[in-house]
Amino acid sequence: MTKKQVTSQTEAPIIDAKIPEGHLAEKWTNYKANQKLVNPANKRRLDIIVVGTGLAGASAAASLAELGFNVLNFCIQDSPRRAHSIAAQGGINAAKNYQNDGDSVYRLFYDTLKGGDYRAREANVYRLAEVSNSIIDQCVAQGVPFAREYGGLLDNRSFGGAQVSRTFYARGQTGQQLLLGAYSALSRQVGKGTVKLYTRHEMLDVVIIDGRARGIIARNLVTGKIERFSAHAVVVGSGGYGNAFFLSTNAMSCNGSAAIQMYKKGAFFANPAFAQIHPTCIPVHGEFQSKLTLMSESLRNDGRIWVPKKKEDAEAIRQGKLKPTDLKEEDRDYFLERRYPAFGNLVPRDVASRASKERCDAGYGVGNTGLAVYLDFEDSIKRLGEDVVRARYGNLFQMYEKIVDDNPYKTPMMIYPAIHYTMGGIWVDYELQTTVKGLFCIGEANFSDHGANRLGASALMQGLADGYFILPYTIQNYLADQIRVPRFSTELPEFDEAENQISEKIKRIMAVQGKRSVDSIHRELGLVMWDFVGMGRNKAGLEHALERIQKIRKEFWSNVFVPGKAEDMNNELEKALRVADFIEIGELMARDALLREESCGGHFREEYQTEEGEALRNDEKFAFASCWKFNGEGEEPTLFKEMLEYEFVKRQQRNYKA
Amino acid sequence: MEKNINITLKIWRQAGPKEKGKFETYKLENISTDSSFLEMLDVLNEKLVRERKEPIAFDHDCREGICGMCGLYINGHPHGLDGETTTCQLHMRRFNDGDTITIEPWRSTGFPVIKDLIVNRGAFDKIIQAGGYVSVNTGGIPDGNAIPIPRHKAEEAMDAASCIGCGACVAACKNGSAMLFVAAKVSQFALLPQGQVERVARAKAMVSKMDELGFGNCTNTGACEAECPKAISISHIARLNREYLKAKFKD
C-alpha cells in the first residue's frame, strides 16, 4: 500500500486511505487480487445491516445477499422502491464508447476528476470509471428498458462537462428505471429470505461494541417503538443532506441524520461544504413552497440558456409588459455560449449556476422575482420538429407545465439554480470503510468520488458502482477476520446505552412544548443556509451564518412544538429529529466553507475568483479533503486533512472556454 | 394568474388501523392557486400545529410525481380529477373559490389504513417479491449491446415500466384488483428478451400472489387506466391474460 494518509493539522498520520499499489489502471485489479475473501459457508454466518434502499443501498443489499450473506435492509419509506434515487431524470454515464466518439475509461475518469475541480481522490475516481461499463450490462440484464436506436442498440445523450456522448438513459426517468432494477434484484432476495426488509424504519443510531460497528437503533415509524438490530457490519447508504437548505430538489424525507449519527460515533465528516447547486430548476415562486423541482440537465442538450441583452427589456419582462418571444435574436444574450464557446450550454453544473446567478445579480434576470433565466427550445423545435423534442423530453415538459401552468413548447422555460446534491459526506477509505471499523458508507452519503462538483449522470453511476461492484468486494476484506465472531445479542449494555440516549433525546424534544412548528424552524435554517452558505460565500457571511445557526439551535431546543405521542406514527417527531441534525450539518457546512479559503467546484468564495469571475483554486494550501472529527456536544470539531496527492494527473485550472 | 381562494376540506381522520374513522371539516382561507395540493395540506397542518392539534397524516415524498408515495382520494378520484397527475402534481388552480374538497385514503382490502390518509401498500412489494424480476446475479453479464432489442419493443416495455406503484389502480377499481400493477411488470419483462426465460413462471407466481393477498378480480371496467397517473394502458392487462393463459396451458 502506498502512503496516502489523513493527517491532522499537526501532520501526524492518523488513518490510511488504503490506496492500493500500482499504476492507476492496475490498482483495483491489484486490490481484488490481494484482498481477503469469505468462503460460502462462512458468509451464511455473517449478518450485514444495510441502511437505505436507493441505488447504493438496494444494489448493495441485493448483491451481498446473492453472495450468501444475511442482510437486514432498512428504509424510511413504505417501500424500497420509493428511495429518492427514483427521481433522477437524465441518465447514467459509462465509458462504453458505443458512439465511437473517443470515449475511454481514462477519459471518463479524467472528466470526472476535472469536473470535481481536482478535489476527489484519483484512485477512487479511476475505479468508478473502470466499473461503469459493468453497470450498464448489469442493468440491461435486469430488464431495464434503456432508450435504443432503431437498430436495437443502446442510445446515448450528452451531458455537462463532457465532449462525448456517454450518458445512457430511459426517457427522463433513468433513476426510476435503474432503481426499479435494483429493487427487483433486492425483491428477489427478499422473496428468498436472504434479505430481511424493514420498511418505515428510521435508523437513529449506530451501536459500537469494542470499537466496531455492530448494530443500529431504529425507530419503527408506524408504531413509534425503538427497535434494536445487531450485525457483523453496518453499511449506510442514506443519501445526501441537501435538505439542510429546506428548499432543495431532494424529496421531503431526505435527511442527513444517519450521517450525523455516524459522525457522532467517530466517523469523520468530509468536505461538508461541497454542495451542488443545479442550474436548471423551476424558480422559487411563493413562501408556501415546500420543495424545488429539477428540470433534467439533459434539457441542455437541446435547450439554449439566455437572458435579455438590455436591462430595460429584462425590466419590461419582469413587469409583464414584454414577452420573451417578442425579443429578437440579437437582443438575447446566450451567456453560456458567449462565455464558454467550447462547451456552450453543456458546461458543468457549478459553472452554469454561477453564470446564471451573475446575470440575475447584474439585473438581467426574468420572471416576476428577477431570479430566473430562460431555457429555450425554439431552435431545437425548428431544427428537429416538436415531435422529436416531445419524444426526448415530453415528461419533463409536462412536469413543468403542471407546476408553472405555462407551455414550454411555446414560451421558453424559466429556470434558476437550486440545491440538488451533496458531494461532501462521511469520509471513507478506498474500501468505502469509515474511520469506524466495520462501518461502511456508500452512495451520496459518502464523500468519495465527486470532489467539489459532481458531473451530471454520475450520481447514478457512483451509487450503483458502490453497491454492485465495489462494496461486495471490499467488505469481505473486513469480514474475513470476523468469521469466528458469533452473532451479537441486542441485550448487550452497548445497545441499552444507545437506546437510552435515543429515548432521552426524543423525550427532550417532546417535552419542549414550545410555540414553533418544526417546519418554521427548518425554513428559517434554510434561508440562512441559502443566503450565506449557498452559491456565493464569503468570510463575513459565513461567520454570520455560524452565529445565526447557534441561535436557531437554541430556538429549536427551547421553542419547538411536536404534537402527539412519541409511541405512535408521528410525522412531526420524525421531522423534528431530522431538523435537529440539519442544524448540526448546517453548522458543519458553514465551518468547512469558512476554512476553505479558495473557490473550487460548487464551493465559491467570493474573495477568491479570477478576473473573469471563475473559481480560483489554491492547490498549494487546499489540495486536501477536510475531515471533521466530532469532539462532543458543544465542542469544536477537530480538522484532519487527507492530502490529495495526484500521481497521474496534473491539476489545471478548469477551462471550458476552448 | 395566481389568486387566493377559500376552501372547505372534508378529510378522513382515523387514529389507527383498528380505530373507527370519520370525516372532519376544516376551513382554509387565502390559499394561493399556485400552490400544490400537498402544499395546501402543509398549510392546513401548520395551522393545526399552531392550534396545538395533531396534524393530518398523509404520505408524500418526492413531490414531483415519480416516487409513488403520495396517493389521496380526492373528490371521488384517486389523485384527483386531473388526468395523468399524481396528488403531488395537482395544483390548487384546478379548484375554485368556495369549493368543498373531500379527501380520503385509498380504500381497498389490499391496502389497510395505518393512520388518517396513510395506507399500507406492502402487498405490492410482496407481489414483486413473488416474481417481478429477472433472476440474474450481480456480475458476469454479457455486454449491454450483445442482444439488440427492437426500439418499439423497448419503448413499449418502458411504457409499462413507468408504473410508480402508487396503487391508484387498486383504489379506482370497484373490485379492488391489482391487475394493472401486476400486468405492467409482467408486460415489461414479456416484451424484452431478458424476461423470456422466466416468462411463464413469472406470470403464474405474480397472479397467484395477488390473489392470495386479497386483491379482487379484473372485470375490464377500465377505471384503473383512466385514473393511472402514468397512463399505463389496459392493453398490458390483455397481455398478462395471454401470458397467464399460456402458462396454465403448459401445466
Side-chain angles (χ1 to χ4, degrees):
Chain A
M1 304 269 163
T2 49
K3 293 267 179 291
K4 266 289 161 65
Q5 289 171 331
V6 173
T7 54
S8 77
Q9 285 155 316
T10 56
E11 301 297 315
I14 299 286
I15 318 152
D16 195 341
K18 294 191 197 153
I19 311 231
E21 297 282 2
H23 185 270
L24 202 51
E26 291 159 2
K27 287 182 188 292
W28 182 228
T29 310
N30 288 348
Y31 176 87
K32 288 189 288 184
N34 294 311
Q35 73 162 119
K36 288 176 278 185
L37 294 171
V38 180
N39 90 22
N42 285 329
K43 283 184 185 128
R44 284 195 291 276
R45 295 164 43 189
L46 294 169
D47 303 334
I48 302 172
I49 284 173
V50 179
V51 178
T53 60
L55 286 174
S59 59
S63 303
L64 291 169
E66 286 161 10
L67 288 171
F69 294 105
N70 288 306
V71 176
L72 295 86
N73 193 194
F74 297 80
C75 69
I76 54 177
Q77 294 87 355
D78 76 330
S79 163
R81 67 180 293 155
R82 309 206 198 282
H84 189 53
S85 305
I86 198 101
Q89 297 168 352
I92 177 165
N93 287 330
K96 285 283 195 187
N97 193 29
Y98 283 159
Q99 305 302 326
N100 195 31
D101 56 1
D103 204 4
S104 63
V105 167
Y106 187 86
R107 194 169 280 272
L108 174 54
F109 151 74
Y110 184 78
D111 286 349
T112 308
L113 199 72
K114 174 186 172 193
D117 221 350
Y118 306 100
R119 290 289 176 267
R121 203 187 277 151
E122 242 181 1
N124 281 54
V125 180
Y126 193 88
R127 176 178 63 185
L128 175 67
E130 215 177 334
V131 303
S132 67
N133 290 341
S134 302
I135 298 171
I136 303 304
D137 302 338
Q138 187 68 36
C139 296
V140 168
Q142 288 168 345
V144 169
F146 282 120
R148 286 176 183 270
E149 311 260 18
Y150 282 103
L153 300 184
L154 291 159
D155 193 18
N156 291 114
R157 56 167 58 140
S158 309
F159 253 60
Q163 288 173 313
V164 295
S165 278
R166 62 159 74 98
T167 305
F168 294 79
Y169 66 101
R171 295 190 192 149
Q173 294 137 269
T174 317
Q176 179 197 29
Q177 293 310 313
L178 297 178
L179 184 64
L180 292 181
Y183 163 72
S184 68
L186 172 65
S187 296
R188 176 172 160 242
Q189 296 305 316
V190 176
K192 284 180 167 181
T194 52
V195 174
K196 183 106 175 60
L197 186 63
Y198 297 88
T199 59
R200 294 197 197 264
H201 273 69
E202 181 156 11
M203 167 183 165
L204 291 185
D205 206 358
V206 47
V207 180
I208 313 281
I209 300 177
D210 293 333
R212 291 169 191 266
R214 296 300 194 188
I216 63 165
I217 305 289
R219 183 165 175 271
N220 180 327
L221 300 182
V222 175
T223 63
K225 288 206 172 64
I226 307 295
E227 299 173 6
R228 306 171 177 196
F229 302 90
S230 71
H232 291 87
V234 176
V235 180
V236 177
S238 54
Y241 49 88
N243 271 348
F245 287 73
F246 187 76
L247 285 181
S248 83
T249 65
N250 286 184
M252 302 301 285
S253 70
C254 289
N255 68 80
S257 290
I260 283 292
Q261 290 144 24
M262 291 189 277
Y263 167 66
K264 289 191 173 173
K265 283 292 163 85
F268 289 2
F269 206 126
N271 298 335
F274 290 169
Q276 175 161 80
I277 299 184
H278 197 295
T280 52
C281 302
I282 299 178
V284 177
H285 59 261
E287 57 189 40
F288 47 81
Q289 197 161 1
S290 58
K291 75 156 282 170
L292 297 170
T293 303
L294 174 78
M295 290 282 105
S296 168
E297 177 160 315
S298 61
L299 292 169
R300 288 200 269 144
N301 268 295
D302 291 309
R304 298 178 70 196
I305 293 180
W306 64 274
V307 290
K309 229 176 223 169
K310 294 184 213 136
K311 267 194 192 163
E312 55 268 30
D313 287 345
E315 182 67 34
I317 286 176
R318 287 198 291 272
Q319 290 168 352
K321 292 178 190 157
L322 196 66
K323 280 194 273 194
T325 41
D326 298 337
L327 280 196
K328 289 198 204 79
E329 192 66 18
E330 58 268 27
D331 292 328
R332 302 173 177 198
D333 175 17
Y334 296 91
F335 54 92
L336 290 178
E337 296 168 28
R338 167 170 61 77
R339 283 178 68 174
Y340 309 100
F343 282 69
N345 291 295
L346 284 173
V347 289
R349 291 175 176 176
D350 56 327
V351 177
S353 290
R354 266 198 301 280
S356 299
K357 181 182 190 295
E358 188 276 326
R359 283 292 81 189
C360 293
D361 289 352
Y364 296 92
V366 295
N368 49 11
T369 57
L371 292 175
V373 300
Y374 289 123
L375 177 62
D376 197 337
F377 291 86
E378 193 185 347
D379 282 357
S380 296
I381 291 172
K382 270 188 207 147
R383 179 164 47 91
L384 304 162
E386 197 173 310
D387 287 348
V388 174
V389 171
R390 193 183 302 277
R392 283 185 191 167
Y393 311 111
N395 67 321
L396 298 169
F397 278 41
Q398 183 223 27
M399 198 194 301
Y400 181 86
E401 190 166 355
K402 273 191 207 309
I403 294 170
V404 184
D405 203 22
D406 209 5
N407 179 352
Y409 294 100
K410 304 278 176 240
T411 45
M413 281 185 182
M414 280 191 287
I415 52 159
Y416 197 66
I419 287 282
H420 179 56
Y421 184 91
T422 48
M423 285 75 69
I426 294 300
W427 184 90
V428 289
D429 61 20
Y430 190 74
E431 298 186 305
L432 305 181
Q433 189 166 213
T434 68
T435 39
V436 175
K437 278 185 190 155
L439 181 62
F440 294 79
C441 190
I442 56 177
E444 187 180 350
N446 75 26
F447 90 115
S448 68
D449 296 345
H450 306 296
N453 173 56
R454 179 175 65 73
L455 290 185
S458 285
L460 305 186
M461 172 171 72
Q462 186 226 335
L464 290 179
D466 286 1
Y468 283 135
F469 296 110
I470 299 170
L471 182 83
Y473 285 87
T474 59
I475 200 171
Q476 292 193 54
N477 204 34
Y478 171 75
L479 288 171
D481 295 335
Q482 304 291 309
I483 52 176
R484 287 168 201 282
V485 179
R487 293 204 155 94
F488 292 86
S489 160
T490 53
E491 302 299 314
L492 289 168
E494 287 85 351
F495 279 91
D496 289 341
E497 198 196 308
E499 181 177 332
N500 284 342
Q501 276 184 11
I502 290 300
S503 301
E504 283 305 313
K505 186 177 176 186
I506 291 175
K507 258 188 221 156
R508 220 179 119 204
I509 290 178
M510 297 300 292
V512 177
Q513 295 289 309
K515 291 197 169 71
R516 298 274 303 269
S517 72
V518 178
D519 279 358
S520 76
I521 297 176
H522 194 179
R523 271 180 204 275
E524 188 183 338
L525 173 70
L527 280 177
V528 171
M529 296 301 291
W530 182 248
D531 287 345
F532 303 105
V533 199
M535 257 196 292
R537 302 162 170 179
N538 60 55
K539 186 164 184 283
L542 289 165
E543 282 166 351
H544 176 72
L546 283 168
E547 275 170 36
R548 292 277 301 273
I549 293 168
Q550 287 281 6
K551 285 187 191 139
I552 292 170
R553 178 188 286 116
K554 214 170 148 201
E555 175 75 359
F556 178 88
W557 289 101
S558 62
N559 202 18
V560 73
F561 173 62
V562 177
K565 296 188 294 265
E567 298 80 29
D568 190 6
M569 179 174 255
N570 188 335
N571 191 242
E572 291 296 309
L573 176 58
E574 290 166 30
K575 287 193 290 187
L577 285 162
R578 292 170 197 156
V579 169
D581 293 331
F582 281 135
I583 294 170
E584 307 299 315
I585 289 176
E587 186 172 49
L588 212 48
M589 290 180 81
R591 196 184 285 281
D592 191 48
L594 191 58
L595 161 93
R596 195 169 279 278
E597 293 174 331
E598 63 162 351
S599 294
C600 59
H603 168 69
F604 193 72
R605 282 284 299 263
E606 285 157 356
E607 306 97 312
Y608 308 99
Q609 49 183 309
T610 65
E611 277 174 18
E612 290 158 311
E614 305 296 337
L616 186 63
R617 280 200 331 261
N618 182 342
D619 291 335
E620 252 171 55
K621 280 181 75 182
F622 293 99
F624 61 78
S626 48
C627 312
W628 297 94
K629 178 178 179 288
F630 180 69
N631 286 327
E633 303 291 344
E635 302 290 324
E636 292 220 346
T638 313
L639 171 74
F640 293 85
K641 297 174 183 174
E642 181 192 344
M643 301 313 294
L644 299 167
E645 287 150 25
Y646 282 7
E647 286 180 73
F648 305 94
V649 169
K650 197 168 164 285
R651 283 190 175 88
Q652 291 171 340
Q653 198 198 328
R654 284 192 306 172
N655 179 2
Y656 294 100
K657 293 174 192 292
Chain B
M1 284 307 276
E2 186 191 355
K3 57 176 184 181
N4 288 341
I5 56 173
N6 300 334
I7 49 171
T8 304
L9 299 163
K10 289 175 75 178
I11 300 179
W12 185 259
R13 303 292 316 248
Q14 185 173 340
K18 301 218 164 72
E19 313 286 326
K20 210 168 167 256
K22 61 167 186 191
F23 281 104
E24 296 272 2
T25 304
Y26 304 92
K27 287 200 183 294
L28 274 185
E29 288 173 355
N30 285 324
I31 293 296
S32 162
T33 51
D34 269 357
S35 69
S36 73
F37 196 82
L38 295 184
E39 284 165 351
M40 178 275 292
L41 285 181
D42 290 342
V43 171
L44 173 62
N45 273 349
E46 183 76 23
K47 182 168 172 255
L48 290 174
V49 170
R50 268 205 311 276
E51 292 165 2
R52 307 190 92 70
K53 291 176 185 156
E54 227 183 299
I56 291 143
F58 63 94
D59 264 335
H60 63 98
D61 202 14
C62 77
R63 297 205 175 189
E64 46 191 73
I66 194 75
C67 74
M69 190 89 177
C70 68
L72 300 175
Y73 211 75
I74 303 162
N75 287 346
H77 292 271
H79 297 300
L81 260 172
D82 266 12
E84 296 183 39
T85 303
T86 57
T87 301
C88 64
Q89 290 178 301
L90 183 64
H91 276 70
M92 293 311 291
R93 64 180 76 96
R94 307 296 296 169
F95 297 91
N96 299 314
D97 192 40
D99 275 2
T100 297
I101 307 169
T102 308
I103 310 173
E104 299 167 77
W106 285 173
R107 300 210 188 265
S108 177
T109 320
F111 297 153
V113 171
I114 296 174
K115 185 176 182 180
D116 294 344
L117 303 169
I118 295 181
V119 298
N120 181 351
R121 286 171 292 198
F124 269 13
D125 284 336
K126 293 201 177 84
I127 293 172
I128 297 293
Q129 286 154 17
Y133 47 75
V134 177
S135 295
V136 288
N137 282 354
T138 303
I141 305 282
D143 189 86
N145 261 348
I147 311 172
I149 301 175
R151 193 169 188 264
H152 69 275
K153 291 261 187 186
E155 289 297 311
E156 206 182 340
M158 180 65 210
D159 288 341
S162 302
C163 168
I164 56 171
C166 65
C169 48
V170 177
C173 178
K174 63 181 173 131
N175 308 318
S177 171
M179 276 294 268
L180 192 62
F181 171 77
V182 175
K185 198 40 81 179
V186 167
S187 194
Q188 176 195 344
F189 290 138
L191 282 157
L192 297 172
Q194 288 81 7
Q196 298 312 308
V197 175
E198 296 165 289
R199 194 169 169 171
V200 170
R202 179 179 305 114
K204 280 199 312 196
M206 290 181 74
V207 169
S208 89
K209 183 54 86 178
M210 171 182 75
D211 292 344
E212 180 195 319
L213 292 168
F215 292 100
N217 290 318
C218 173
T219 48
N220 292 315
T221 50
C224 52
E225 179 189 68
E227 303 286 11
C228 174
K230 297 294 153 186
I232 306 229
S233 159
I234 49 170
S235 66
H236 296 295
I237 297 184
R239 183 174 287 109
L240 169 61
N241 285 333
R242 288 199 297 276
E243 294 292 313
Y244 189 72
L245 263 181
K246 274 193 261 176
K248 281 293 172 189
F249 279 132
K250 283 191 177 160
D251 280 351

